[in-house]
Amino acid sequence: RRQRQMCIRDSPAHHSPRAAPAWGWPQEITPPMDSIASPAALQGVRVIEMGQLIAGPFCGKTLGEFGADVIKIEAPETGDPLRNWRLIKEGTSVWWQVQSRNKRSVALDLRQKEGQTIARQLIAEADVLVENFRPGTLEGWGMSPEELHALNPGLVMLRISGYGQTGPYRDLPGFGAIGEAMGGLRHLTGEPGRVPVRVGVSIGDTLAALHGTIGVLTALYHRKVNGGQGQVIDVALHEAVFNVMESLIPEYLSLIHI
């Protein structure tokens, strides 16, 4: 088993001058002094990302773009399924290149005790944990919010799922398409007598990720400014979509307008 195979992929913005490409750096361009002196907004924030495909990784990518140190945990051998998603260039999906920039990656088998132990060690030193597994998965690995907060009281946990961590639908598979339909978006994009139309991008996953990102930033601010403890942020795909439906429900309730 390969438990700790590191695969570091930094964005070009993080390369040092010593790693300059063969053609060298443009000598006539000098970065402004304030861009060198000013740290990134989330510098010093460490994020452990356990997500797959879109929702969790989009949140991790967004936090990384603002300077957070994002460590992505992937399954050995196969990694995130997004690595082989749709269009492939030079052996890697272009989707992967978009969603995984500004991250470091470590291969851990979280189904094994050794992998779970290493994951807990990483989480113990982190500020944020992002996951989008089916509800109950972390609990089955001995990493429930109660167990992780006992290990790291200040930990901010973001949990993205189809229907949330509680409720009658929690155990059902949740995908962006279902969240978009249940949230009302596919009603708006559809036409009378025809099947609902996809927006064209994974908007349900992205909206959930952005809502999760807002929750993470709010929790970090509360922890730093108000002395708050760690928190659990529970984001459901369909609720994230529903939140941006503007006046859809008031119009129906008040005017019976569909």
Side-chain angles (χ1 to χ4, degrees):
R1 283 181 319 210
R2 293 183 300 163
Q3 289 287 350
R4 301 205 67 177
Q5 178 182 352
M6 296 298 294
C7 177
I8 300 177
R9 298 168 179 262
D10 291 331
S11 70
H14 289 170
H15 290 170
S16 68
R18 298 178 184 176
W23 43 263
W25 296 103
Q27 298 300 313
E28 69 276 10
I29 299 178
T30 302
M33 291 301 296
D34 57 351
S35 67
I36 298 176
S38 300
L42 297 180
Q43 182 173 318
V45 174
R46 173 162 291 182
V47 178
I48 304 300
E49 181 195 298
M50 289 183 173
Q52 299 185 104
L53 295 175
I54 306 296
F58 190 97
C59 175
K61 173 188 74 75
T62 303
L63 296 172
E65 287 174 339
F66 288 97
D69 177 19
V70 182
I71 300 176
K72 180 178 179 67
I73 296 179
E74 302 183 71
E77 305 298 339
T78 58
D80 189 328
L82 197 65
R83 287 180 177 270
N84 299 299
W85 195 263
R86 296 187 62 178
L87 300 181
I88 307 296
K89 181 180 180 181
E90 298 178 356
T92 303
S93 169
V94 294
W95 286 53
W96 166 263
Q97 296 171 0
V98 170
Q99 298 290 357
S100 302
R101 57 179 181 254
N102 299 314
K103 299 178 185 178
R104 296 183 288 167
S105 184
V106 57
L108 292 177
D109 189 348
L110 294 174
R111 296 169 297 180
Q112 303 297 327
K113 294 294 184 183
E114 185 180 359
Q116 295 166 9
T117 298
I118 296 173
R120 290 191 195 93
Q121 292 172 349
L122 292 172
I123 294 169
E125 299 177 355
D127 298 285
V128 179
L129 171 64
V130 176
E131 65 100 351
N132 64 329
F133 298 121
R134 186 177 295 190
T137 300
L138 283 187
E139 286 79 355
W141 292 336
M143 287 184 271
S144 67
E146 294 76 16
E147 291 167 305
L148 294 182
H149 281 145
L151 185 67
N152 182 352
L155 180 69
V156 174
M157 293 182 64
L158 170 60
R159 314 191 73 177
I160 303 177
S161 61
Y163 309 99
Q165 301 299 310
T166 59
Y169 290 173
R170 71 181 293 272
D171 295 322
L172 296 178
F175 301 96
I178 300 175
E180 292 164 21
M182 293 190 67
L185 179 61
R186 297 222 173 182
H187 166 73
L188 296 179
T189 60
E191 299 179 14
R194 303 180 63 181
V195 297
V197 179
R198 186 174 185 268
V199 172
V201 294
S202 305
I203 193 69
D205 294 290
T206 303
L207 285 173
L210 290 175
H211 279 77
T213 302
I214 294 170
V216 166
L217 297 176
T218 303
L220 289 174
Y221 181 87
H222 176 62
R223 191 185 70 179
K224 180 176 181 179
V225 176
N226 301 321
Q229 294 296 305
Q231 299 187 45
V232 177
I233 302 160
D234 182 0
V235 175
L237 288 173
H238 75 284
E239 291 180 342
V241 174
F242 181 77
N243 191 43
V244 298
M245 286 299 98
E246 299 176 350
S247 63
L248 189 66
I249 298 302
E251 286 180 356
Y252 176 77
L253 292 177
S254 303
L255 305 171
I256 315 299
H257 177 77
I258 301 178

